[in-house]
């Protein structure tokens, strides 16, 4: 039986692993369906303290993992399909195998949201993407569209101007959630075109098997039109990965874990860390801080039970 199992290998999970490993708890980290979490899908990280010149997101998260391994953390591929948190030890199913643990840290993050358009899923990997860093390279001198009005949309659009001949940002309002610095940076980029009060009605062309354009609608005027596009990038937020815990861990309306203070959930011995609970800050550094808190709480609980 494990002392600590950590679900998720982003900043939160890796930092929890560093702390739990240094406390000699030999944590097991279940890497999850997006190993490395959101940082593995990003480029330059300029705001993680300690890197005055910035660092690439995938490198930062890999460094954290190696740091945890150095102190005895074990990593296992796969994701948790099912969880029984009704009593301790907790039981988790990973593929066909059940494992047991005395404490659990849920750091499973939040995954990209899709628009739910008729052709969207059919064209994923053929022009539709949720990861500019992964797929931007394929759109050199092509027409690119980014959907969303938050920091992700600004960051991805700015990054994609390195590749595309033009990048259009499509946003359903004319006010932006993005922080001022990110919005200003995108606004100052002459390659970026803006389509506000605009929604995507569909993506073309499933018959051809790749993206050739989109159907757009101005929600104010009702005008609809088609526009040529080669690369279609979603940046419309995320959905917390809490499905296996629904009905056991208390979740809010959108599925985020409700914190009971510190890193505690409603279940004694189960802790949260990172974006799976945090819908406000969602930064690499806050996720790391939360991972540290969760590991310390798990360690204290286990230590208290020894005496
Ligand atoms: P977000 O802030 O939640 O923004 C999502 C955007 O997508 C919003 O503009 C929203 O429009 C739009 N949207 C959502 N559902 C939609 C739909 N069905 N159809 C059309 N548009 C839709 O998400 P995010 O940009 O991914 O950012 C998440 C968090 O990460 C934020 O706290 C952000 O600051 C942080 N972040 C930071 C950085 C950085 O500092 N480098 C980079 C990326 C993200 P409405 O505004 O109309 O709701």
């Amino acid at each position: 039986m494990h002392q600590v199992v950590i679900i998720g290998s982003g900043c939160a999970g890796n930092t929890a692993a560093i702390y739990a490993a240094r406390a000699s708890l030999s944590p097991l980290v279940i890497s999850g369906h997006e190993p490395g979490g959101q940082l593995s899908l990003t480029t330059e990280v300029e705001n993680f303290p300690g890197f005055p010149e910035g660092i690439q997101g995938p490198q930062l998260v890999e460094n954290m993992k190696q740091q945890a391994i150095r102190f005895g953390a074990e990593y296992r591929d796969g994701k948790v399909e099912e969880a029984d948190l009704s009593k301790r030890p907790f039981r988790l199913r990973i593929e066909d195998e059940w494992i047991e643990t005395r404490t659990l840290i849920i750091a499973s993050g939040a995954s990209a949201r899709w628009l739910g358009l008729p052709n969207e899923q059919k064209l994923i990997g053929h022009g539709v993407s949720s990861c500019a860093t992964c797929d931007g390279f394929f759109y050199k001198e092509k027409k690119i569209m980014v959907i969303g009005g938050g920091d992700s949309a600004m960051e991805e659009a700015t990054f994609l101007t390195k590749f595309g001949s033009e990048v259009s940002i499509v946003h359903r309002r004319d006010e932006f959630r993005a922080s001022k610095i990110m919005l200003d940076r995108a606004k100052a980029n002459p390659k970026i075109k803006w389509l506000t009060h605009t929604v995507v009605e569909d993506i073309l062309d499933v018959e051809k098997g790749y993206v050739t354009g989109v159907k757009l609608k101005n929600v104010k005027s009702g005008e609809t039109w088609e526009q040529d596009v080669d690369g279609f990038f979603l940046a419309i937020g995320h959905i917390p990965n809490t499905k296996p815990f629904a009905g056991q861990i208390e979740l809010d309306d959108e599925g985020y874990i409700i914190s009971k203070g510190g890193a505690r959930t409603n279940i004694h011995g189960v802790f949260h860390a990172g974006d799976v609970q945090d819908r406000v800050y969602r930064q690499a550094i806050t996720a790391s801080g939360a991972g540290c808190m969760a590991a310390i709480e798990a360690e204290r609980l286990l230590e208290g039970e020894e005496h």
Side-chain angles (χ1 to χ4, degrees):
M1 192 203 319
H2 298 279
Q3 301 297 307
V4 187
V5 167
I6 299 165
I7 303 175
S9 56
C11 290
N14 283 329
T15 306
I18 292 169
Y19 274 76
R22 290 192 77 254
S24 304
L25 293 172
S26 311
L28 173 69
V29 181
I30 312 297
S31 293
H33 70 292
E34 287 172 347
Q38 298 298 299
L39 267 197
S40 65
L41 307 179
T42 194
T43 46
E44 187 83 1
V45 179
E46 293 175 331
N47 50 13
F48 199 92
F51 301 91
E53 306 301 327
I55 182 167
Q56 292 293 308
Q59 185 65 56
L60 177 57
V61 83
E62 180 60 24
N63 288 354
M64 292 183 194
K65 178 178 172 181
Q66 292 309 324
Q67 197 172 345
I69 289 171
R70 183 179 150 213
F71 293 109
E74 189 193 329
Y75 282 72
R76 177 178 168 159
D77 291 342
K79 60 176 187 161
V80 173
E81 312 277 358
E82 208 178 332
D84 177 4
L85 310 179
S86 59
K87 57 180 184 308
R88 295 175 69 205
F90 306 119
R91 296 174 70 241
L92 305 167
R93 183 167 68 80
I94 298 136
E95 273 121 45
D96 293 334
E97 191 193 339
W98 285 90
I99 60 167
E100 291 188 338
T101 182
R102 292 177 67 195
T103 61
L104 178 64
I105 296 175
I106 303 177
S108 48
S111 298
R113 178 177 280 137
W114 301 94
L115 285 170
L117 296 167
N119 292 339
E120 189 178 41
Q121 298 298 316
K122 293 180 195 151
L123 291 168
I124 288 177
H126 303 281
V128 172
S129 170
S130 70
C131 177
T133 322
C134 319
D135 301 327
F137 183 80
F138 302 119
Y139 300 97
K140 279 189 177 159
E141 295 307 315
K142 305 267 180 170
K143 293 192 175 79
I144 296 174
M145 185 167 277
V146 176
I147 317 302
D151 279 339
S152 297
M154 301 309 125
E155 186 175 67
E156 303 219 337
T158 304
F159 172 71
L160 289 165
T161 58
K162 287 193 209 169
F163 306 103
S165 56
E166 63 171 56
V167 177
S168 310
I169 292 181
V170 172
H171 182 37
R172 59 187 177 184
R173 303 188 289 150
D174 67 351
E175 280 166 33
F176 291 87
R177 271 176 212 271
S179 55
K180 191 174 177 315
I181 185 169
M182 308 277 282
L183 184 60
D184 287 350
R185 195 177 290 171
K187 287 230 154 125
N189 191 318
K191 265 191 170 179
I192 297 181
K193 311 230 171 338
W194 302 80
L195 289 164
T196 54
H197 292 303
T198 302
V199 294
V200 183
E201 294 212 305
D202 205 0
I203 311 168
L204 310 168
D205 182 345
V206 169
E207 310 256 287
K208 290 212 170 93
Y210 57 90
V211 173
T212 59
V214 287
K215 281 188 191 163
L216 298 171
K217 181 180 182 178
N218 183 302
V219 288
K220 275 200 135 176
S221 66
E223 182 198 353
T224 59
W225 72 100
E226 284 186 13
Q227 190 162 316
D228 289 349
V229 169
D230 305 296
F232 182 86
F233 289 83
L234 276 312
I236 58 167
H238 292 85
I239 299 168
N241 297 314
T242 48
K243 218 169 160 195
F245 319 112
Q248 303 181 77
I249 298 285
E250 268 182 43
L251 308 175
D252 71 11
D253 296 347
E254 288 183 44
Y256 287 88
I257 293 178
I258 297 174
S259 182
K260 297 291 172 180
R264 291 183 293 283
T265 68
N266 59 306
I267 298 179
H268 183 70
V270 181
F271 303 96
H272 60 74
D275 289 9
V276 72
Q277 176 272 327
D278 173 19
R279 50 158 75 238
V280 179
Y281 302 105
R282 305 195 239 208
Q283 299 300 298
I285 187 67
T286 49
S288 277
C292 160
M293 287 164 64
I296 288 177
E297 294 208 23
E299 181 194 351
R300 288 192 180 154
L301 185 150
L302 292 168
E303 202 176 66
E305 289 175 348
E306 307 281 295
H307 301 294

